[in-house]
């Protein structure tokens, strides 16, 4: 699709889509911090909090398979506009209907709507890039997500948890995300459904690419859920744990653009293999460095290397797919976030109960070792019957 678009339109598409995602992502970060804090304040049991948190990734997973046909029928921009309206409505509903049980349904719709917006925007961004700069564009997108997502929680100390203010700020951010869409020009015909295309067809064609993305979503879910526990049980203070985890996020935010540049100049497969090796080694190194100053550089590089696989996964997606297949691929990537969020914490938790706290970094290490083994068996092929890098 990108080759058929004029230069200004291609880059205008990228900028507008990035602005849409960035504005909405601030609200996502705010909400994911605000909801558990409100439930904790009300004394909600941890297992109910966990089930409630699972509703959003469940919505993403169940909505994804239908998205390519919906976009084909109604157009990508109208679908995103509806998603924005639905996200704003669900944010208001969280405040208007404070029952924990109503939040299950609201969070499911919230996840489905947010997943739709991010999936379509991701497809726009990849379609606006070309083979020469797709790695850098993917790196810029990943960095933007990390930065804007981390901004959301910073709002809460200013607004507090009670009252309408945090919700209104979240709703305003989502509403602002609609503004860049007025400047975005999309060739809707390129996203029309074709015979043999679709969500399941993409899964059958790119299982290795989805598994690579799944290693990152697994890592993300496990680290966000269990690194604080790993740090505290290793003797660190809460403030230290928070700062160290923040360093990993900073590494992800600042260094994905150079990762994308390396993929453009060198090799997509080479960057993924190198990132998987570094991630596996540094995950193990957490065990021996957690109580020394070395944990700081370890976490800085670990956050970068782990998320590099998602950056390059997006690049490979854009290299090999266009139009409705690109929408299907983006929806499948979104579903992998849901799967990682559902599987990662229970697996890491069970391993910790069985083998102790060091099972957390060991579990992360083993997942990336498994990725390397699978790449060796497939000869580095991420896409079946397609060119690969």
């Amino acid at each position: 699709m990108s080759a058929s678009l004029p230069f200004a339109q291609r880059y205008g598409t990228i900028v507008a889509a990035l602005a849409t995602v960035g504005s909405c992502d601030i609200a996502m970060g705010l909400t994911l911090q605000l909801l558990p804090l409100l439930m904790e304040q009300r004394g909600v049991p941890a297992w109910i909090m966990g089930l409630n948190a699972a509703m959003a990734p469940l919505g993403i997973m169940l909505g994804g398979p239908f998205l390519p046909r919906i976009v084909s029928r109604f157009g990508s921009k109208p679908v995103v506009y509806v998603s924005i309206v639905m996200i704003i409505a669900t944010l208001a509903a969280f405040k208007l209907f404070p029952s924990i049980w109503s939040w299950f349904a609201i969070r499911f719709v919230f996840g489905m709507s947010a997943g739709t917006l991010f999936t379509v925007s991701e497809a726009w961004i990849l379609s606006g890039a070309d083979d020469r700069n797709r790695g850098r564009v993917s790196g810029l997108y990943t960095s933007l997500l990390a930065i804007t997502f981390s901004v959301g929680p910073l709002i809460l100390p200013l607004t507090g948890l009670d009252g309408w203010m945090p919700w209104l700020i979240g709703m305003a951010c989502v509403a602002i995300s609609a503004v860049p869409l007025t400047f975005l020009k999309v060739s809707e015909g390129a996203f029309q459904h074709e015979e043999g295309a679709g969500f399941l067809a993409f899964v059958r064609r790119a299982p290795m690419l989805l598994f690579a993305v799944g290693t990152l979503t697994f890592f993300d879910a496990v680290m966000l859920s269990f690194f604080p526990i790993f740090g505290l049980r290793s003797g660190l203070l809460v403030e230290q744990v928070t700062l160290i985890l923040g360093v990993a996020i900073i590494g992800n935010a600042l260094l994905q653009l150079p990762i994308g540049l390396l993929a453009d100049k060198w090799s997509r497969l080479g960057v993924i293999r190198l990132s998987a090796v570094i991630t596996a080694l540094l995950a193990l190194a957490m065990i021996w460095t957690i109580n020394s100053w070395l944990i700081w550089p370890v976490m800085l590089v670990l956050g970068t290397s782990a998320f590099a696989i998602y950056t390059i996964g997006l690049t490979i997606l854009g290299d090999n797919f266009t139009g409705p297949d690109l929408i299907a691929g983006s929806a499948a990537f979104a579903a992998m976030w849901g799967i990682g969020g559902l599987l990662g914490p229970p697996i890491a938790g069970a391993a910790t109960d069985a083998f102790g706290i060091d099972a957390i970094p060991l579990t992360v290490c083993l997942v990336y070792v498994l990725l390397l083994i699978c790449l060796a068996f497939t000869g580095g092929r991420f896409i079946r019957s397609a060119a690969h890098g």
Side-chain angles (χ1 to χ4, degrees):
M1 176 182 174
S2 62
S4 64
L5 295 177
F7 176 87
Q9 184 173 336
R10 284 195 287 116
Y11 283 89
T13 295
I14 293 171
V15 171
L18 286 172
T20 296
V21 169
S23 299
C24 196
D25 198 39
I26 294 173
M28 301 303 105
L30 169 66
T31 305
L32 290 179
Q33 186 84 11
L34 178 57
L35 288 172
L37 289 173
L38 287 173
M39 286 188 276
E40 177 71 19
Q41 190 180 65
R42 293 163 61 176
V44 175
W47 68 273
I48 293 181
M49 292 171 62
L51 283 178
N52 187 262
M55 290 299 102
L58 189 62
I60 295 171
M61 288 170 57
L62 295 183
F66 303 100
L67 190 56
R69 286 188 179 274
I70 292 172
V71 169
S72 175
R73 180 171 181 179
F74 298 104
S76 58
K77 281 185 72 172
V79 167
V80 170
Y81 277 123
V82 171
S83 298
I84 288 172
V85 171
M86 290 302 297
I87 294 170
I88 292 172
T90 52
L91 289 176
F94 280 121
K95 182 63 178 174
L96 291 171
F97 304 98
S99 165
I100 295 299
W101 305 113
S102 68
W103 282 9
F104 277 79
I106 296 168
R107 206 160 186 178
F108 178 85
V109 176
F110 175 83
M112 188 176 291
S113 303
T116 297
L117 184 146
F118 282 91
T119 295
V120 177
S121 297
E122 203 168 84
W124 286 339
I125 291 164
L126 292 174
S127 68
D130 57 40
D131 293 342
R132 295 168 299 174
N133 67 1
R134 191 169 286 114
R136 281 162 283 182
V137 171
S138 298
L140 179 62
Y141 170 68
T142 309
S143 294
L144 179 75
L145 288 183
I147 293 169
T148 52
F149 187 83
S150 63
V151 167
L154 299 178
I155 296 171
L156 293 178
L158 303 176
T159 63
L161 302 181
D162 302 317
W164 272 95
M165 187 55 66
W167 299 107
L168 290 174
I169 291 176
M171 293 161 66
C173 289
V174 177
I176 290 170
S177 74
V179 176
L181 291 186
T182 60
F183 301 98
L184 190 147
K185 296 180 180 179
V186 181
S187 300
E188 295 289 3
F191 295 118
Q192 291 301 303
H193 181 73
E194 298 173 357
E195 196 64 35
F199 186 91
L200 294 179
F202 178 87
V203 172
R204 287 192 296 268
R205 191 175 169 193
M208 191 63 221
L209 180 59
L210 290 175
F211 178 69
V213 170
T215 61
L216 176 272
T217 64
F218 182 95
F219 170 91
D220 186 63
V222 170
M223 292 299 286
L224 288 177
S225 300
F226 283 94
F227 180 77
I229 298 171
F230 175 72
L232 292 172
R233 292 191 186 179
S234 299
L236 299 183
L237 300 175
V238 173
E239 295 80 5
Q240 291 175 303
V241 170
T242 303
L243 288 174
I244 292 170
L245 193 57
V247 165
I249 295 172
I250 290 170
N252 174 32
L254 298 182
L255 299 177
Q256 290 308 310
L257 192 55
I259 293 290
L261 177 61
L262 182 62
D264 285 336
K265 300 296 184 183
W266 178 38
S267 162
R268 320 293 205 215
L269 175 60
V271 174
I272 283 190
R273 280 177 168 160
L274 181 61
S275 298
V277 170
I278 292 173
T279 303
L281 292 175
L282 291 181
L284 279 181
M286 287 168 55
I287 297 172
W288 297 286
T289 61
I290 187 65
N291 288 306
S292 77
W293 64 269
L294 289 171
I295 191 62
W296 298 91
V298 163
M299 291 299 289
L300 179 69
V301 180
L302 182 61
T304 302
S305 62
F307 274 84
I309 291 178
Y310 190 76
T311 295
I312 309 308
L314 285 172
T315 307
I316 295 171
L317 174 64
D319 287 341
N320 291 277
F321 297 95
T322 58
D325 289 321
L326 192 55
I327 292 286
S330 296
F333 274 32
M336 293 310 297
W337 284 102
I339 292 172
L342 289 173
L343 295 183
I347 290 173
T352 301
D353 288 340
F355 304 107
I357 196 64
D358 288 344
I360 293 172
L362 283 170
T363 301
V364 170
C365 174
L366 288 174
V367 168
Y368 282 85
V369 169
L370 182 59
L371 172 61
L372 289 167
I373 292 171
C374 290
L375 286 175
F377 273 107
T378 60
R381 290 192 304 273
F382 292 97
I383 312 294
R384 290 177 174 173
S385 302
H388 57 278

